[in-house]
Amino acid sequence: MKTRKHQIGQIDGRPVWEVYLASDSKMEVTLISYGAAVRRICLPGPEKTPVNIALGFESLEDYIGNPLFAGAALCPCAGRISGASLAVDGQKFHLSENDNGNNLHGGFHCASHRVWTLESTTSGERECSATFSVRMADGEDGFPGNRFVKICYTLRNQSELELSFWAATDLPTYLNLSSHSYFNLSGNFHRSALKQTLQIFGNRYAANDSGHLPTAVLPCENTPFDFTRPVSLEEQINAWPGDPQLANALGYNNAFLLNRAADPDTGLREALVLSDTSSGRRLTLWTDAPCVVLYSGGYIGNGCRLDGGALSSPSCAIALEAQDFPNAPNFAPETCSFLRPGQCYRRRIVYKFDWPR
């Protein structure tokens, strides 16, 4: 296992680090401290050459403001909060409105668009890791509490990448931490990621309004949201022409409620399997979160410079965001778990990769 780091620039006087993790199985992960983001996930390709399957930008300058949230840690809150209004213990907080009157991914000053502190890197016989941290002040973007958040990326020899989040606060607050990594397992970002095959271990989904906020929880059966068996996103979309939900999101931007029991030893449940038949690569996602939001990248714009030289285009990659139910404080408050002083927030996401050996 190998770890190395080097400074790739500065933003607002703070050093931005790039960290490289490599396993004995020839899997490689590149992280940057801006947004604590995943920049590359490379798997062995033909003739053992590394192939990147995670969407990342060509340069640090392209990450600033990161309009796609590419690879970034979503902090303090993944997804949208309707009306930018948050109630905690009966007290209402007005959040910043950065999405048509709603709060998206935490607001204008979210940690996805900030330089995190590189706390440490470690390497051993079986795994290597990098830990980043960020502080968010009480009242920033309207959220209560001085909050301290860490994320540890651990690469293991079993071709696993684990994201482990930890947070604390000095006032009651709401956190919903996740990752906004995008995947195209073919490694060819000129090729539509909708050709990938997906199976989700959940039989209910959130139907959204025009602002991509949930309005109802509905069964997946006999809908374009039925991924209980492996099927390509392209096949599902083509089978349901004119579906209003798909038209609204230019594909998918919906939460799926997971229904598999958690493993008693790890506390994680198997959430989904994403595969690419052209390359034989497969990603299995495990998490302790109750939902996964499938975003098929319909609103990815044309022309962003991607790592490796390709230019972005709609659905050149898809995001799989393990998180709480979207807009939980307003739509499903009974599912909310508010963080209080003296408590520790934790979330885990594990990506397990397979490829032809």
Side-chain angles (χ1 to χ4, degrees):
M1 307 294 289
K2 298 179 182 177
T3 304
R4 67 173 184 264
K5 64 180 181 180
H6 68 282
Q7 188 175 335
I8 58 173
Q10 286 191 353
I11 296 177
D12 296 329
R14 299 197 62 192
V16 178
W17 295 93
E18 183 173 79
V19 181
Y20 170 82
L21 309 177
S23 73
D24 296 340
S25 63
K26 307 302 180 185
M27 180 176 163
E28 305 167 359
V29 176
T30 304
L31 312 165
I32 61 170
S33 59
Y34 184 83
V38 174
R39 188 173 188 181
R40 304 180 196 96
I41 298 176
C42 293
L43 308 179
E47 301 179 0
K48 307 304 179 183
T49 56
V51 175
N52 177 35
I53 53 86
L55 185 148
F57 295 125
E58 184 177 68
S59 70
L60 175 59
E61 289 71 25
D62 296 320
Y63 275 93
I64 297 174
N66 195 350
L68 305 182
F69 293 85
L74 296 178
C75 172
C77 183
R80 293 169 174 82
I81 295 182
S82 62
S85 179
L86 173 68
V88 181
D89 292 346
Q91 183 176 356
K92 286 194 175 182
F93 298 87
H94 186 72
L95 312 179
S96 60
E97 301 177 16
N98 64 328
D99 183 69
N100 298 318
N102 304 309
N103 180 275
L104 174 64
H105 296 325
F108 294 110
H109 304 97
C110 68
S112 303
H113 297 158
R114 291 169 55 175
V115 179
W116 293 49
T117 298
L118 176 59
E119 293 268 347
S120 63
T121 60
T122 65
S123 59
E125 291 186 4
R126 298 181 180 180
E127 63 184 39
C128 55
S129 68
T131 300
F132 302 90
S133 68
V134 70
R135 294 183 182 273
M136 293 171 291
D138 178 33
E140 196 165 55
D141 279 312
F143 286 88
N146 292 295
R147 293 143 293 157
F148 181 57
V149 179
K150 286 186 178 182
I151 178 171
C152 179
Y153 291 92
T154 302
L155 178 62
R156 300 194 175 93
N157 263 338
Q158 307 95 305
S159 307
E160 288 181 357
L161 177 64
E162 177 167 345
L163 286 62
S164 180
F165 295 87
W166 177 94
T169 182
D170 64 355
L171 291 173
T173 193
Y174 179 66
L175 288 170
N176 177 21
L177 307 183
S178 187
S179 171
H180 209 295
S181 288
Y182 292 82
F183 301 97
N184 187 329
L185 296 179
S186 74
N188 179 2
F189 291 91
H190 297 294
R191 178 178 183 264
S192 173
L194 300 179
K195 295 184 182 298
Q196 296 175 110
T197 297
L198 180 63
Q199 182 176 18
I200 299 176
F201 302 114
N203 56 13
R204 293 185 296 159
Y205 76 98
N208 294 335
D209 64 16
S210 60
H212 311 290
L213 287 158
T215 59
V217 177
L218 302 174
C220 295
E221 188 177 9
N222 297 321
T223 76
F225 297 88
D226 190 351
F227 289 95
T228 54
R229 58 181 176 83
V231 61
S232 79
L233 284 81
E234 184 176 67
E235 181 180 341
Q236 285 290 75
I237 291 171
N238 289 341
W240 297 86
D243 180 85
Q245 286 287 300
L246 298 181
N248 181 46
L250 304 180
Y252 295 93
N253 191 15
N254 301 79
F256 290 77
L257 281 70
L258 305 175
N259 63 2
R260 287 209 163 176
D263 182 286
D265 295 324
T266 67
L268 303 177
R269 59 167 60 87
E270 189 176 15
L272 60 86
V273 177
L274 181 72
S275 57
D276 175 65
T277 55
S278 67
S279 65
R281 300 186 188 106
R282 183 173 62 185
L283 161 62
T284 304
L285 191 156
W286 294 74
T287 185
D288 56 5
C291 296
V292 170
V293 171
L294 166 62
Y295 172 49
S296 61
Y299 288 98
I300 295 176
N302 289 299
C304 292
R305 296 177 298 169
L306 302 182
D307 185 74
L311 295 177
S312 67
S313 60
S315 297
C316 64
I318 67 170
L320 304 163
E321 306 159 49
Q323 58 175 269
D324 291 348
F325 195 87
N327 194 32
N330 296 324
F331 181 78
E334 70 281 0
T335 70
C336 275
S337 179
F338 293 101
L339 181 66
R340 305 183 187 284
Q343 297 178 335
C344 293
Y345 175 101
R346 298 186 187 277
R347 169 143 299 153
R348 296 171 63 201
I349 303 168
V350 176
Y351 305 123
K352 169 70 175 176
F353 294 93
D354 294 287
W355 61 86
R357 313 275 174 145

